[in-house]
Amino acid sequence: MTTATAIEGFRYYPGFLDAARQRALTESVMAVLTQAPAYHATMPKSGVAMSVAMSNAGRFGWYSDKEGGYRYIERHPFTGQPWPAIPDEILSIWDAVANYGVAPECCLINHYRAGAKMGLHQDRDEQDFDAPVVSISLGDTAVFRLGGLNRKDPTRAMKLQSGDVCVLGGASRLAFHGIDRVLSGSSRLIPGGGRINLTLRRVTRP
Ligand code: MD3
Ligand code: FE
């Protein structure tokens, strides 16, 4: 088998969260976004804004702008406040699936409104690649693309639905991946529509 389906360390839990847990989680995320409003990060050098709106909870938040590039910062770039704490019900998902002894330091909140997508990339701004990344999908269904360790490796597309959880550990931690598109209107979970993806990460080495 040469396709990315075989990549070691990728685990997929469809329907991990029932409808009630999805609603509770959405409320917690909305409370974080009230404290730490979502923004559009811009790409290093080009300064082009990403289509996905982002915010964070936890000690570190992922951010990018034209001058500073991709990085983790300890305060909201516009309010100057520390990021809100990661809500307990989100930490409990990490505890259930990550199989990693210490808590995540970042919960990146990606908000996809109509037309938003994310190009194929690797997540390598963290110091700790031994820790997995845990992904939680809420709201509209997304077409997720997972490749291999080289940009040109074969990829496979799969749908991520509201309540699905993925764990990207082992070799898959450095796999290329992206979101091709979001199926607008496929869920009514998120106020105003769209999709929210939460990624839980370690940033520093324990
Ligand atoms: C595979 N987010 O925030 S989640 C990202 O749905 C990101 O918003 C996408 O890629 C989203 O960086 C995909 C699934 C995911 C997350 C992290 C990964 C897949 C991954 C890290 C390594 C390999
Ligand atoms: Fe990513």
Side-chain angles (χ1 to χ4, degrees):
M1 185 98 120
T2 56
T3 64
T5 38
I7 194 149
E8 182 272 324
F10 172 69
R11 283 183 289 139
Y12 175 47
Y13 300 90
F16 187 85
L17 303 167
D18 66 17
R21 264 181 102 186
Q22 292 172 42
R23 283 192 296 270
L25 217 53
T26 302
E27 282 212 9
S28 313
V29 172
M30 291 302 155
V32 169
L33 292 176
T34 302
Q35 297 303 307
Y39 50 82
H40 288 269
T42 56
M43 313 237 260
K45 299 190 182 102
S46 73
V48 174
M50 298 181 187
S51 59
V52 180
M54 297 176 170
S55 188
N56 296 271
R59 174 163 174 214
F60 295 102
W62 189 86
Y63 184 62
S64 173
D65 60 12
K66 187 174 174 166
E67 302 303 327
Y70 303 141
R71 62 197 187 275
Y72 284 91
I73 56 180
E74 295 192 58
R75 287 173 179 270
H76 190 286
F78 303 110
T79 70
Q81 293 295 119
W83 302 103
I86 302 175
D88 283 344
E89 58 269 44
I90 297 178
L91 292 173
S92 73
I93 297 170
W94 172 276
D95 290 343
V97 300
N99 190 29
Y100 198 73
V102 292
E105 299 172 297
C106 171
C107 174
L108 171 61
I109 302 166
N110 289 150
H111 189 178
Y112 296 75
R113 293 194 187 78
K117 53 191 165 48
M118 190 177 283
L120 206 66
H121 67 278
Q122 289 173 300
D123 291 11
R124 17 184 354 137
D125 302 319
E126 302 75 25
Q127 291 157 21
D128 185 2
F129 298 143
D130 296 336
V133 174
V134 172
S135 154
I136 303 160
S137 291
L138 296 170
D140 286 344
T141 299
V143 180
F144 169 62
R145 188 165 290 281
L146 181 62
L149 298 180
N150 298 106
R151 184 173 284 280
K152 290 179 176 169
D153 288 346
T155 63
R156 67 130 153 179
M158 54 187 286
K159 285 185 177 167
L160 293 181
Q161 292 187 297
S162 194
D164 292 356
V165 170
C166 299
V167 180
L168 297 308
S172 76
R173 175 64 182 77
L174 288 172
F176 277 86
H177 61 280
I179 295 293
D180 290 357
R181 63 199 184 93
V182 171
L183 309 182
S184 242
S186 50
S187 159
R188 298 186 44 187
L189 181 68
I190 309 297
R195 168 176 190 259
I196 288 180
N197 181 266
L198 308 175
T199 53
L200 300 173
R201 301 135 184 271
R202 283 296 299 183
V203 176
T204 64
R205 297 193 142 277

